[in-house]
């Protein structure tokens, strides 16, 4: 028996993540390692439980095995509930047809019955590939106060980057009068974060109408939001002013990892008031050898460091042998870097062996020239 919930979350986690290249050949983008001991999906899941939302549907599709295994029953995020909790929602065969999710709106439409069984007043739509902390309860509070049909979280982006986003053109009261999906000449720089709160009855109505339209691309930004505005529905922007990063590219993923470093990191992963929860295997403490030289680095549990590590993020179980050098890089789980090897401006996926004397990356590199090594590789 299902109990009524005021607000449930639907987390879109099925994207292929093709711009992450080798990192997503075997793994869904939300399951990519981040910040030493996290996965990208830890952030929206932690935001949910920290915001008092205890019912989350995780919509998977591309390479779901690692992601499904990781989220499990939701226990690390306190989402292993008898009533509600975390539910994985893959595409499935219905009575009329079966199909892959065709777009963000179609993915939610295919799971209308999951939504209906909780009779929510509100539905929160999330993406599984962003790094940020947000108290969704504050966004929901505004949604109620404005009597909105839909509220869209927005963030100010550099004007020169605005054409990459869905742009919300607003009135002085915050209501949105126009939504432009990736406009060539944006009128402002208030970008949609891909986070929506809908009044449930409005969402279900527009999803059903959208599904019946054979010309629709079944997308929130391209179809659902413009249709709401065309019909005069109340759509409001919720302005967010803290850290947010779409880590859909190698450059942005590397940059976000680097944002966790330094004495006053741009992204502080240790805030007790909004903790990021994760599923981690138990490992021994870090071992820092007498020959190790470490500066401005994150060294996770289980690492053995005897070489040099500068301005880098190391996940659990990484071994850096004496004479090896790692700079400006992200090293994922259980990578071994043999003596004499040098790594500069690189992302090394898990279970990789960097052989003795090997050179990976460019010491004169930058965020737009990051070398990526696929999981399980051997680099000589």
């Amino acid at each position: 028996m299902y109990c009524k919930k005021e607000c449930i979350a639907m987390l879109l986690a099925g994207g292929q993540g093709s711009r992450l290249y080798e990192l997503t050949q075997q793994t869904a983008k939300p399951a990519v390692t981040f910040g030493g001991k996290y996965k990208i999906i830890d952030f929206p899941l932690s935001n949910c439980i920290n915001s008092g939302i205890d019912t989350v549907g995780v919509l998977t599709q591309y390479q779901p095995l690692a992601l499904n295994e990781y989220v499990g029953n939701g226990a690390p995020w306190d989402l292993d509930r008898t009533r509600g909790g975390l539910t994985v929602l893959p595409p499935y065969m219905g009575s009329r047809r079966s199909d892959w999710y065709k777009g963000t709106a179609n993915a939610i439409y295919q799971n209308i019955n999951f939504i209906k069984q909780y009779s929510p007043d509100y539905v929160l739509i999330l993406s599984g590939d962003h790094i940020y902390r947000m108290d969704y309860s504050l966004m929901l509070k505004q949604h109620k106060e404005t009597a909105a049909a839909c509220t869209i979280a927005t963030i100010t982006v550099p004007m020169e980057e605005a054409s990459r986003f869905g742009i919300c053109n607003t009135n002085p009261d915050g209501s949105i009068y126009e939504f432009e999906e990736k406009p060539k000449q944006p009128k402002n720089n208030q970008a949609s974060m891909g986070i929506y709160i809908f009044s449930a009855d409005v969402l279900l109505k527009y999803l059903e109408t959208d599904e019946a339209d054979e010309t629709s691309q079944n997308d929130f930004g391209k179809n659902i939001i413009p249709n709401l505005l065309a019909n005069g529905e109340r759509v409001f922007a919720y302005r967010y002013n803290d850290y947010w990063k779409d880590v859909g590219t190698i450059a942005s993923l590397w940059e976000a990892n680097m944002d966790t470093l330094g004495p006053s990191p741009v992204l502080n992963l240790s805030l007790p008031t909004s903790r990021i929860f994760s599923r981690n295997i138990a490992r021994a403490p870090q071992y820092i050898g007498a020959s190790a030289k470490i500066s401005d680095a994150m060294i996770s549990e289980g690492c053995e460091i005897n070489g040099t590590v500068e301005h880098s993020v190391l996940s659990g179980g990484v071994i850096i042998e004496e004479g090896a050098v790692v700079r400006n890089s992200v090293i994922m789980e259980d990578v071994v870097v043999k003596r004499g090897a040098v790594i500069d401006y690189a992302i090394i996926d898990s279970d990789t062996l960097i052989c003795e004397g090997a050179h990976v990356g460019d010491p004169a590199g930058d965020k737009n020239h990051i070398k990526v090594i696929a999981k399980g590789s051997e680099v000589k």
Side-chain angles (χ1 to χ4, degrees):
M1 180 178 179
Y2 297 97
C3 58
K4 177 176 173 57
K5 300 285 184 178
E6 180 188 33
C7 182
I8 69 169
M10 302 293 280
L11 175 52
L12 296 161
Q16 183 174 350
S18 58
R19 293 178 298 165
L20 291 181
Y21 304 104
E22 290 90 342
L23 300 179
T24 52
Q25 286 183 347
Q26 303 176 52
T27 303
K29 182 163 53 172
V32 170
T33 297
F34 177 83
K37 64 177 183 179
Y38 303 98
K39 304 294 185 184
I40 295 171
I41 198 172
D42 288 332
F43 289 81
L45 288 178
S46 298
N47 288 339
C48 283
I49 201 64
N50 290 336
S51 304
I53 297 173
D54 64 6
T55 302
V56 183
V58 179
L59 285 69
T60 63
Q61 179 163 279
Y62 173 79
Q63 293 284 13
L65 183 61
L67 180 60
N68 292 353
E69 181 180 4
Y70 182 74
V71 299
N73 66 351
W77 307 272
D78 194 24
L79 290 169
D80 53 335
R81 306 295 181 96
T82 303
R83 296 184 176 183
L86 185 149
T87 303
V88 174
L89 300 169
Y92 64 92
M93 181 175 292
S95 58
R96 291 187 296 174
R97 65 181 182 181
S98 63
D99 206 347
W100 291 111
Y101 295 144
K102 293 180 291 183
T104 54
N106 175 257
I108 304 298
Y109 173 81
Q110 287 199 36
N111 291 283
I112 274 184
N113 288 337
F114 175 82
I115 296 172
K116 288 181 176 178
Q117 67 192 5
Y118 292 104
S119 301
D121 299 312
Y122 309 100
V123 180
L124 170 66
I125 310 293
L126 302 170
S127 175
D129 53 4
H130 300 153
I131 302 296
Y132 67 108
R133 287 187 177 91
M134 181 185 283
D135 185 346
Y136 302 133
S137 68
L138 300 179
M139 184 176 173
L140 180 57
K141 181 175 181 288
Q142 180 192 293
H143 181 85
K144 295 176 184 178
E145 290 173 347
T146 56
C150 173
T151 300
I152 303 173
T154 66
I155 192 165
T156 303
V157 299
M159 198 66 194
E160 60 271 19
E161 296 181 16
S163 60
R164 296 174 41 228
F165 296 90
I167 297 299
C168 298
N169 298 317
T170 60
N171 296 307
D173 66 350
S175 60
I176 298 172
Y177 65 85
E178 183 182 34
F179 183 88
E180 297 181 284
E181 182 69 14
K182 299 181 180 179
K184 292 182 179 179
Q185 295 181 316
K187 298 172 184 175
N188 72 78
N189 56 349
Q190 283 301 304
S192 168
M193 298 167 65
I195 300 169
Y196 314 107
I197 291 180
F198 284 88
S199 297
D201 56 344
V202 173
L203 175 64
L204 299 182
K205 171 186 172 182
Y206 278 83
L207 285 177
E208 289 170 352
T209 301
D210 181 71
E211 189 65 21
D213 180 1
E214 294 183 356
T215 66
S216 176
Q217 295 175 268
N218 306 123
D219 183 84
F220 278 101
K222 296 174 182 176
N223 305 110
I224 300 293
I225 304 302
N227 288 341
L228 286 168
L229 293 171
N231 291 329
E233 302 282 4
R234 292 174 62 82
V235 182
F236 279 75
Y238 174 79
R239 295 207 173 196
Y240 179 75
N241 298 309
D242 209 332
Y243 187 94
W244 178 82
K245 182 82 75 174
D246 180 346
V247 288
T249 66
I250 293 298
S252 61
L253 179 64
W254 178 88
E255 189 173 41
N257 273 279
M258 296 302 108
D259 285 343
T260 67
L261 299 175
S264 299
V266 178
L267 174 59
N268 188 343
L269 297 177
S270 302
L271 294 176
T273 54
S274 53
R275 182 181 170 190
I276 304 302
F277 301 92
S278 63
R279 183 188 298 277
N280 287 302
I281 62 173
R283 294 183 185 268
Q286 304 93 329
Y287 172 78
I288 309 300
S291 60
K293 298 178 181 178
I294 300 173
S295 62
D296 191 22
M298 181 185 296
I299 310 296
S300 300
E301 293 85 352
C303 289
E304 298 180 18
I305 312 298
N306 290 289
T308 298
V309 181
E310 300 175 358
H311 195 62
S312 295
V313 176
L314 275 58
S315 294
V318 171
I319 297 174
I320 310 295
E321 292 190 352
E322 186 173 356
V325 178
V326 176
R327 303 187 191 98
N328 302 304
S329 295
V330 179
I331 313 296
M332 298 184 182
E333 299 91 344
D334 301 310
V335 169
V336 177
V337 183
K338 304 294 283 186
R339 66 176 58 245
V342 178
I343 300 173
D344 277 293
Y345 288 97
I347 298 178
I348 312 295
D349 206 348
S350 60
D351 300 310
T352 291
L353 173 63
I354 308 298
C355 294
E356 188 169 332
H359 282 238
V360 178
D362 183 353
D366 56 44
K367 71 175 183 179
N368 295 312
H369 299 88
I370 303 297
K371 179 66 176 178
V372 179
I373 303 297
K375 179 177 181 179
S377 299
E378 181 176 337
V379 180
K380 298 182 179 180

